[in-house]
C-alpha cells in the first residue's frame, strides 16, 4: 500500500466536490485546520494520518495502527480469500479491513505477522535496501548438516526469477531443526533453499522481524497492538 500523501488543496477539492481554485479563499480565511493549526499554504502536503477539519467539520481522522499476530498454520496471509480463512478474519479490531500485511507467510507457515494501515512504515520494513532481517525456525524431514551453512551464505540461483539469493545465515539447532535469517522474502524462499538439498520443510515459524520478536504470550491466532517503542525500534540498527 502506498502512503497517501496529497496536496491539501487537492484533498479539500475532492472531499468537498469543489474546484481547487475555490480552496484558496478557505485557506486565506484560516477555515482549514490541519493537526490543530490553521493551514494557509496552497502547497501544504498532508498524509493519511493528518487530522483535517473545515469549519470544525472533520474531513479526515485516521489513526495509525500497528498489529502483531501469531499466525497459525492453515490461514491465508491475504485480506480476502474465496476458500480459506484469512488473517484479517482472525482480527477483532474494528479497523481490520483497513489494514494490510507487511510480508506474507505461506498458508502452512506460522509465527510473527505484522499488519498496519501505515504504508510508509510497511515500505520501510520491506524495502530490500534497508536490510531488515527476518528470523525463522524450521523443522526438517532429514537431518541438516554443516554443508548447508556455506550454501545458504553464498546464495542460490533461482532461474525462474533470474536472481541469486542474498547471504542467508543458517544456525543448526539440532539434527532436524535450524534457524534461518533472511534479508529478503522471495516466493517460498526457505522451502526452495532446503529443497536444493532435497530436504522437506515440515514446519516454518517466523520468530522475529528486525528487532521485534513475536510476543510469547500470544497463542496461535491471537494478536495485539505494538507499543510505540516497538513501532520505532523494529528497524533501528
Ligand atoms: N519462506 C518460505 O518458504 N515460506 C514462508 O512462509 C516464509 C519464508
Amino acid at each position: 500500500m502506498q502512503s497517501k500523501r496529497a496536496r491539501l488543496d487537492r484533498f479539500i477539492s475532492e472531499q468537498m466536490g469543489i474546484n481547487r481554485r475555490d480552496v484558496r479563499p478557505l485557506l486565506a480565511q484560516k477555515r482549514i485546520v490541519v493537526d490543530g493549526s490553521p493551514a494557509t499554504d496552497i502547497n501544504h502536503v498532508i498524509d493519511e494520518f493528518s487530522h483535517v477539519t473545515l469549519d470544525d467539520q472533520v474531513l479526515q481522522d485516521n489513526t495509525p495502527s500497528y498489529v502483531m499476530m501469531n499466525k497459525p498454520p492453515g490461514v491465508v496471509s491475504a485480506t480476502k480469500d474465496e476458500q480459506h480463512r484469512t488473517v484479517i478474519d482472525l482480527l477483532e479490531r474494528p479497523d481490520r479491513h483497513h489494514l494490510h500485511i507487511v510480508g506474507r507467510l505461506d498458508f502452512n507457515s506460522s509465527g510473527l505477522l505484522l499488519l498496519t494501515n501505515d504504508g510508509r512504515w510497511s515500505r520501510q520494513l520491506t524495502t530490500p535496501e534497508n536490510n531488515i532481517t527476518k528470523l525463522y525456525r524450521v523443522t526438517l524431514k532429514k537431518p541438516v548438516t554443516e554443508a548447508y551453512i556455506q550454501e545458504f551464505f553464498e546464495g542460490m540461483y533461482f532461474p525462474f526469477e533470474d536472481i541469486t539469493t542474498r547471504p542467508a545465515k543458517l544456525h543448526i539447532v539440532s539434527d532436524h531443526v535450524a534457524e534461518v535469517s533472511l534479508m529478503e522474502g522471495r516466493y517460498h524462499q526457505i522451502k526452495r533453499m532446503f529443497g536444493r538439498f532435497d530436504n522437506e520443510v515440515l514446519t516454518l515459524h517466523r520468530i522475529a522481524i528486525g528487532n521485534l520478536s513475536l510476543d510469547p504470550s500470544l497463542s496461535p491466532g491471537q494478536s495485539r497492538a505494538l507499543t510505540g517503542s516497538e513501532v520505532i525500534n523494529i528497524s533501528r540498527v
Side-chain angles (χ1 to χ4, degrees), residues 104-106 109 136 182 186-192 204:
R104 292 163 197 279
L105 284 169
D106 291 341
S109 300
Y136 301 85
L182 296 182
R186 304 280 172 189
Y187 178 69
H188 293 333
Q189 181 163 347
I190 292 183
K191 291 175 191 151
R192 289 160 83 195
L204 197 159

Side-chain angles (χ1 to χ4, degrees), residues 105-136:
L105 284 169
D106 291 341
F107 184 69
N108 285 320
S109 300
S110 59
L112 177 59
L113 189 79
L114 297 174
L115 299 113
T116 184
N117 56 359
D118 183 347
R120 246 186 292 177
W121 186 75
S122 57
R123 207 150 351 104
Q124 176 206 333
L125 291 176
T126 49
T127 300
E129 291 73 41
N130 289 347
N131 294 334
I132 307 288
T133 54
K134 282 157 272 170
L135 180 64
Y136 301 85

Side-chain angles (χ1 to χ4, degrees), residues 132-167:
I132 307 288
T133 54
K134 282 157 272 170
L135 180 64
Y136 301 85
R137 179 170 276 234
V138 182
T139 57
L140 297 147
K141 194 160 185 179
K142 296 182 193 166
V144 51
T145 68
E146 297 278 326
Y148 289 43
I149 297 174
Q150 184 71 10
E151 284 208 39
F152 270 64
F153 192 72
E154 279 173 2
M156 292 178 192
Y157 179 65
F158 286 176
F160 186 71
E161 297 97 329
D162 189 24
I163 53 106
T164 300
T165 57
R166 298 176 70 191

Side-chain angles (χ1 to χ4, degrees), residues 29-144:
Q29 292 157 17
K30 301 191 173 169
R31 291 166 63 189
I32 301 171
V33 174
V34 177
D35 294 332
S37 307
T40 48
D41 183 359
I42 194 84
N43 294 313
H44 193 115
V45 173
I46 58 162
D47 66 24
E48 69 261 53
F49 303 120
S50 306
H51 187 274
V52 185
T53 61
L54 168 60
D55 295 338
D56 296 328
Q57 179 196 339
V58 177
L59 300 184
Q60 178 175 274
D61 184 21
N62 297 335
T63 32
S65 295
Y66 308 92
V67 175
M68 78 154 82
M69 173 183 285
N70 182 358
K71 177 195 175 294
V75 173
V76 187
S77 291
T79 48
K80 277 192 207 127
D81 192 88
E82 297 292 315
Q83 270 188 310
H84 300 285
R85 267 192 322 163
T86 70
V87 290
I88 300 293
D89 296 330
L90 298 180
L91 291 171
E92 279 165 8
R93 309 165 55 90
D95 67 348
R96 65 186 185 278
H97 292 295
H98 299 286
L99 304 183
H100 61 271
I101 297 159
V102 189
R104 292 163 197 279
L105 284 169
D106 291 341
F107 184 69
N108 285 320
S109 300
S110 59
L112 177 59
L113 189 79
L114 297 174
L115 299 113
T116 184
N117 56 359
D118 183 347
R120 246 186 292 177
W121 186 75
S122 57
R123 207 150 351 104
Q124 176 206 333
L125 291 176
T126 49
T127 300
E129 291 73 41
N130 289 347
N131 294 334
I132 307 288
T133 54
K134 282 157 272 170
L135 180 64
Y136 301 85
R137 179 170 276 234
V138 182
T139 57
L140 297 147
K141 194 160 185 179
K142 296 182 193 166
V144 51

